[in-house]
């Protein structure tokens, strides 16, 4: 029967190549042409590397295909051509990287007027990027002779493929010495300054966004490579310019000079946040964003007349990140500019924007922690960072007013405000610094300076309202023990300490985990807020250090657990699962009851359970059909609140 199978090892592509007058298009119609190319089919590679074939392949990825073709097939051949040119085959790489006429043809693509076709731009970028990695010397030498190369790339920066091309130049050049030559060349071309200039308020938003993203990527790539390439002692010139005070000043100037736009503020702030990821100090925030006006929008909680907007949220993130640097001059400048007063205004105005609430909470905690650390490290230094927070910003009064207003709203049947969870954490942070923080004496003095009625309200709030809120927000660690306490020894000490501070730590630990995950899932990566020494959550991370001291009460604890968790009966005789036997669902009740001892089911016709799985009582004799034990779905009523 072997004649039923085709044992001929010659591929169809080989048969085409044996035919006289075969064209490149005919070969590209074959589904396995790319696989044959990567498999180093010698006959195919020799054909593809011919001058006229290479010229045609480059033409396909750099020139618009005819407009009269169907859209789904219009870019079929350009796509295949790009895959062949970037298949990482030495013969094709050598031909493309060593033939200057082919490089000129590729380069001509950049000389077109914007906008570029985004798909062709991606083909071009991928092809040049592959050559940069594989034929580095030849391609870099060719590009350096083109004095307008950087200008042309930046002219098309609205195409994301141009961003990729710049990043390949920075990250894909080896060895290290050649990479440093490329970086110096890009620095001589003033790449960073020209990207920063694109952040000007009058520029196209798409160009601004891509320029911002490119700068952020350069910062991260340069820092990563500086950490990995230990043999290079010369500093990265691009990173040096990016981190310079002159460049930051120019960036701020471009963000705020002229007509301020949300795009310029957001994009510029993203660069500043990326620079601050390494917690480098020395930046001065001498300008802050005006409240940009936006049109009203409809939300799930009603109409928002003036949305917060991305710009102000990014500025809040920037302020929080700046405060995390623990630089005294930054903290003083932020206080001088009344920035915290503005942020607290936004906190209480936008009661449903939890992204904003987190940043304001971090700012408050950073100021309190910074003043505490500064005073601890420099006892002779008079710190006043917390004074504007308690005096000018009226933090205590705002907490009390907001809490009382929320209680009134809820008493009238309204909804609890969305910022109350973060307000609880802010209040707890103040209390903790007041009681045992390094700056507790200064904060105590500030509390004493409050009006008498305000001090009384605060003391009552801390002693009753806040304490009760913390209790309600805490998982009751004592309930299990209280329910199952041993009657034999009523005086036995509980293994679970009924300590409000521990309960509060556990509650805040829960909130911390929810908040961190929520922010990560919605696009924020606040690594700059992760250090334990300066993080708002650091005070609560000690939950892991709590010692419940159950060793002395191990017997009671074990008995309690056994009552709550029924053990599997491992002593049951194992049955052969392959034995044929009659299926009786009633025999399965025992195994079901292991998981829920309060629920019983019976599928036999002779037994009726004392409680129905559908929530009703068993049918009495004469009350409807009794031939089955299935629920009657026609009797179900709609659910009501």
């Amino acid at each position: 029967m072997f004649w039923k199978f085709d044992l001929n090892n010659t591929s169809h592509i080989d048969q085409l190549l044996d035919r006289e007058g075969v064209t490149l298009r005919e070969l590209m119609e074959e589904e396995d042409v790319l696989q044959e190319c990567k498999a180093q089919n010698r006959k195919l590679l020799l054909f593809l590397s011919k001058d006229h074939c290479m010229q045609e392949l480059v033409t396909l990825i750099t020139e618009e295909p005819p407009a009269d073709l169907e859209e789904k097939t219009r870019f079929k051949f350009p796509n295949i051509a790009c895959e062949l040119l970037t298949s990482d085959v030495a013969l094709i790489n050598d031909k493309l990287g060593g033939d200057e006429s082919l490089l000129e043809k590729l380069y001509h693509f950049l000389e077109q007027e914007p906008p570029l076709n985004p798909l062709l731009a991606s083909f071009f970028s991928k092809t040049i990027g592959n050559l940069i990695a594989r034929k580095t010397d030849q391609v870099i030498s060719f590009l350096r002779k083109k004095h307008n190369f950087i200008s042309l790339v930046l002219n098309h920066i609205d195409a994301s493929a141009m961003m990729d091309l710049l990043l390949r130049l920075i990250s894909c050049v080896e060895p290290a010495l050649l990479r440093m030559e490329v970086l110096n060349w890009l620095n001589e071309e003033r790449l960073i300054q020209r990207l920063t200039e694109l952040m000007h308020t009058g520029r196209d938003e798409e160009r601004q966004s891509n320029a911002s993203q490119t700068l952020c990527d350069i910062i991260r790539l340069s820092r990563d490579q500086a950490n990995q390439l230990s043999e290079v002692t010369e500093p990265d010139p691009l990173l040096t310019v990016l981190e310079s005070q002159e460049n930051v000043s120019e960036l701020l100037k471009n963000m705020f000079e002229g007509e301020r736009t949300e795009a310029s503020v957001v994009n510029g702030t993203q660069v500043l946040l990326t620079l601050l990821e390494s917690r480098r100090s020395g930046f001065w925030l001498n300008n802050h964003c005006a409240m940009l006006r936006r049109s009203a929008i409809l939300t799930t909680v009603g109409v928002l007349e003036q949305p917060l907007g991305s710009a102000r949220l990014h500025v809040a993130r920037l302020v929080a990140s700046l405060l995390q640097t623990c630089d005294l001059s930054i903290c003083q400048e932020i206080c001088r500019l009344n920035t915290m007063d503005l942020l607290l205004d936004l906190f209480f105005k936008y009661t449903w924007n939890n992204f904003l609430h987190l940043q304001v909470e971090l700012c408050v905690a950073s100021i309190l922690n910074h003043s505490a650390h500064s005073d601890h490290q420099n006892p002779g230094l008079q710190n006043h960072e917390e004074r504007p927070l308690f005096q000018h910003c009226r933090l205590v009064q705002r907490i009390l007013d907001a809490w009382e207003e929320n209680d009134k709203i809820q008493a009238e049947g309204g909804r609890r405000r969305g910022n109350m969870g973060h307000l609880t954490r802010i209040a707890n942070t103040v209390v903790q610094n007041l009681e045992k923080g390094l700056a507790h004496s200064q904060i105590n003095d500030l509390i004493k300076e409050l009006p008498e009625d305000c001090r009384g309200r605060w003391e009552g709030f801390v002693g009753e309202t806040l304490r009760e809120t913390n209790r309600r927000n805490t998982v009751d660690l004592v309930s299990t023990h209280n329910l199952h306490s041993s009657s034999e020894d009523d005086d036995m000490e509980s293994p679970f300490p009924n300590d409000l501070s521990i309960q509060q730590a556990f509650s805040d630990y829960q909130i911390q985990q929810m908040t961190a995950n929520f922010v990560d899932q919605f696009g924020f990566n606040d690594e700059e807020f992760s250090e334990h020494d300066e993080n708002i959550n650091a005070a609560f991370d000690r939950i892991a250090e709590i010692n419940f001291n159950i060793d002395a009460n191990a017997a009671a604890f074990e008995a309690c657990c056994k009552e709550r968790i029924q053990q599997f009966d491992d002593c049951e005789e194992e049955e052969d699962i392959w034995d044929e036997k009659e299926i009786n669902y009633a025999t399965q009740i025992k195994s079901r009851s292991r998981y829920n001892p309060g629920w019983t089911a019976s599928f036999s016709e002779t037994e009726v359970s004392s409680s129905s799985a559908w929530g009703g009582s068993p049918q009495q004799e004469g009350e409807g059909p009794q031939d089955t034990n299935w629920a009657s779905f026609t009797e179900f009523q709609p659910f009501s609140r």
Side-chain angles (χ1 to χ4, degrees):
M1 299 294 291
F2 291 104
W3 57 84
K4 294 179 62 177
F5 302 96
D6 183 10
L7 300 180
N8 187 1
N9 292 327
T10 305
S11 69
H12 190 247
I13 287 182
D14 286 339
Q15 295 175 8
L16 283 175
L17 291 170
D18 289 336
R19 198 181 71 193
E20 190 173 340
V22 65
T23 65
L24 177 63
R25 294 294 181 105
E26 289 178 299
L27 288 170
M28 295 174 72
E29 289 282 6
E30 296 296 316
E31 292 183 357
D32 57 347
V33 63
L34 182 58
Q35 288 75 14
E36 289 288 323
C37 179
K38 292 182 177 180
Q40 306 283 331
N41 184 320
R42 185 67 179 174
K43 191 181 296 185
L44 175 61
L45 294 182
L46 289 174
F47 181 85
L48 292 177
S49 60
K50 291 181 179 180
D51 289 344
H52 73 278
C53 288
M54 293 297 294
Q55 289 286 340
E56 187 173 354
L57 289 172
V58 173
T59 300
L60 283 170
I61 67 170
T62 56
E63 295 184 7
E64 288 272 356
D68 57 349
L69 295 178
E70 290 186 29
E71 194 62 30
K72 63 180 180 180
T73 60
R74 189 167 175 238
F75 289 95
K76 174 185 176 181
F77 288 117
N79 181 59
I80 297 174
C82 176
E83 293 299 321
L84 290 172
L85 290 173
T86 60
S87 57
D88 204 16
V89 175
L91 189 59
I92 294 178
N93 289 339
D94 292 343
K95 182 66 176 181
L96 187 57
D99 191 330
E100 192 154 328
S101 65
L102 293 174
L103 293 177
E104 288 285 355
K105 193 174 186 66
L106 273 172
Y107 188 80
H108 180 67
F109 178 77
L110 289 175
E111 297 175 336
Q112 302 178 60
E113 289 296 322
L116 297 174
N117 181 294
L119 197 53
L120 292 181
S122 68
F123 296 155
F124 166 83
S125 177
K126 185 177 180 180
T127 304
I128 290 289
N130 178 70
L131 290 176
I132 289 173
R134 301 304 180 194
K135 307 299 293 183
T136 309
D137 289 327
Q138 295 94 320
V139 175
I140 294 299
S141 176
F142 172 81
L143 293 178
R144 292 189 67 172
K145 291 187 291 186
K146 300 293 184 180
H147 300 294
N148 61 344
F149 170 67
I150 297 299
S151 299
L152 291 175
V153 171
L154 296 179
N155 193 38
H156 297 295
I157 198 65
D158 55 317
S160 60
M162 296 301 107
M163 299 166 48
D164 298 335
L165 178 56
L166 287 174
L167 295 176
R168 284 179 178 273
L169 278 172
I170 293 171
S171 61
C172 295
V173 174
E174 293 182 358
L177 291 177
L178 180 57
R179 175 180 174 272
M180 188 57 63
E181 289 183 16
V182 172
L183 294 179
N184 286 324
W185 164 53
L186 295 176
N187 190 44
E188 292 168 3
E189 293 289 329
R190 304 184 73 254
L191 174 62
I192 301 303
Q193 292 89 333
R194 293 160 82 170
L195 284 169
T196 303
E197 176 60 27
L198 289 174
M199 306 293 295
H200 196 276
T201 56
R203 300 287 183 178
D204 175 73
E205 290 189 8
E206 191 67 26
R207 291 173 179 269
Q208 282 188 30
S209 177
N210 286 355
S212 170
Q213 188 60 54
T214 304
L215 289 171
C216 293
D217 289 340
I218 291 175
I219 294 170
R220 295 189 178 105
L221 278 173
S222 298
R223 288 176 176 170
D224 288 344
Q225 290 188 334
N227 293 331
Q228 296 171 6
L229 303 176
S230 56
E231 71 274 11
V232 179
T233 57
E234 187 178 349
D236 188 317
L238 299 182
L239 186 59
T240 301
V241 173
L242 269 165
E243 294 177 339
S244 67
Q245 184 174 349
E246 293 78 11
N247 189 69
V248 174
S249 299
E250 187 65 25
L251 177 61
L252 290 170
K253 178 182 176 182
N254 292 334
M255 289 168 59
F256 295 108
E257 277 196 352
E259 183 182 356
R260 297 176 183 176
T261 63
E262 182 170 352
S264 63
V265 172
V266 170
N267 293 320
T269 302
Q270 287 175 343
V271 178
L272 295 174
L273 286 169
T274 308
L275 285 168
L276 288 167
E277 285 178 1
S278 66
R279 285 175 172 74
R280 296 176 181 269
S281 59
F283 296 105
W284 284 72
L285 188 65
N286 293 322
N287 299 284
H288 57 278
C289 175
M291 296 185 180
L292 301 168
R293 188 71 184 177
R294 294 173 63 99
S295 57
I297 61 172
L298 179 63
T299 71
T300 56
V301 292
V303 176
L304 193 58
E305 294 295 338
Q306 184 187 356
L308 175 72
S310 180
R312 286 189 288 186
L313 178 60
H314 274 77
V315 171
R317 294 186 66 213
L318 175 60
V319 174
S321 184
L322 285 167
L323 288 170
Q324 289 288 315
T325 63
C326 289
D327 187 284
L328 177 61
S329 60
I330 292 176
C331 194
Q332 291 175 338
E333 188 70 6
I334 288 176
C335 292
R336 186 187 69 81
L337 292 170
N338 298 328
T339 306
M340 280 308 305
D341 196 34
L342 291 173
L343 288 176
L344 287 170
D345 286 343
L346 296 175
F347 179 92
F348 292 107
K349 178 178 180 179
Y350 296 96
T351 57
W352 299 102
N353 194 317
N354 291 148
F355 293 111
L356 170 68
H357 304 156
L358 174 62
Q359 304 308 319
V360 177
E361 177 192 334
L362 291 169
C363 289
V364 172
S366 294
I367 290 176
L368 293 176
N369 291 334
H370 175 263
S371 60
H373 286 296
S374 298
D375 193 59
H376 178 70
Q377 296 171 1
N378 303 282
L381 184 63
Q382 186 69 23
N383 291 296
H384 300 280
E385 293 87 352
E386 70 280 355
R387 290 189 177 274
L389 198 59
F390 287 92
Q391 293 178 343
H392 180 71
C393 298
R394 302 176 65 252
L395 178 62
V396 170
Q397 293 91 324
R398 290 198 194 201
I399 293 174
L400 295 173
D401 292 344
W403 207 285
E404 292 169 1
E405 188 174 352
N406 178 75
D407 287 345
K408 181 180 178 182
I409 292 174
Q410 287 192 278
E412 296 172 353
R415 183 183 300 182
R416 182 176 183 264
R417 286 181 168 178
N419 61 354
M420 293 305 294
H422 287 282
L423 189 62
T424 303
R425 288 164 59 89
I426 290 175
N428 282 324
T429 301
V430 173
V431 171
Q432 288 168 0
N433 280 274
L434 180 65
E435 292 178 349
K436 55 185 178 181
L438 295 175
H440 67 278
S441 59
Q442 294 93 326
I443 298 177
N444 267 296
D445 292 340
L446 292 170
I447 296 294
K448 291 177 182 178
E449 294 176 7
L450 296 174
E452 186 176 350
D453 62 331
C454 185
R455 287 203 312 273
R457 290 169 61 201
W458 174 254
E459 291 170 1
F461 169 77
V462 173
E464 299 176 7
T465 306
L466 184 60
R467 191 178 186 86
E468 175 63 18
T469 299
N470 290 333
R471 188 194 66 77
R472 288 199 311 267
N473 290 340
T474 304
V475 174
D476 194 349
L477 299 177
V478 193
S479 59
T480 302
H481 175 69
N482 289 341
L483 288 173
H484 302 278
S485 59
S486 173
S487 59
E488 298 177 359
D489 188 1
D490 294 336
D491 296 330
M492 182 176 63
E493 181 182 355
S494 168
F496 301 103
N498 188 7
D499 188 329
L500 184 61
S501 64
I502 295 177
Q503 295 181 14
Q504 175 58 27
F506 186 80
S507 173
D508 286 303
Y509 169 78
Q510 288 182 310
I511 299 175
Q512 165 203 338
Q513 298 303 314
M514 179 276 293
T515 304
N517 292 338
F518 181 74
V519 172
D520 288 341
Q521 291 168 6
F522 282 83
F524 289 93
N525 184 19
D526 288 334
E527 295 177 356
E528 61 269 30
F529 308 130
S530 62
E531 286 191 2
H532 292 298
D533 293 340
E534 302 163 359
N535 195 295
I536 177 64
N537 298 319
F540 310 120
D541 286 342
R542 292 191 300 274
I543 185 68
E545 302 171 9
I546 296 175
N547 181 7
F548 290 108
N549 191 22
I550 67 172
D551 295 337
N553 306 285
F557 182 79
E558 184 177 355
C560 172
C561 293
K562 285 183 177 179
E563 290 181 16
R564 295 293 291 174
I565 305 175
Q566 296 192 10
Q567 302 297 322
F568 290 103
D569 188 1
D570 295 330
C571 297
E572 289 184 337
E573 183 179 353
E574 294 185 0
E575 298 180 354
D576 188 351
I577 63 174
W578 302 108
D579 283 350
E580 294 185 3
K581 53 182 176 290
E582 182 182 357
I583 298 177
N584 184 355
Y585 289 100
T587 63
Q588 306 301 321
I589 298 175
K590 183 177 181 180
S591 63
R592 290 179 183 270
S593 63
R594 292 175 182 166
Y595 302 99
N596 192 346
W599 181 84
T600 306
S602 174
F603 291 93
S604 65
E605 296 183 0
T606 60
E607 296 180 1
V608 179
S609 173
S610 61
S611 62
S612 170
W614 300 100
S617 60
Q619 288 182 339
Q620 301 297 326
E621 185 176 355
E623 294 182 1
Q626 299 186 20
D627 56 338
T628 69
N629 285 313
W630 296 102
S632 175
F633 290 95
T634 59
E635 298 177 359
F636 274 78
Q637 300 296 326
F639 291 103
S640 59
R641 294 182 179 272

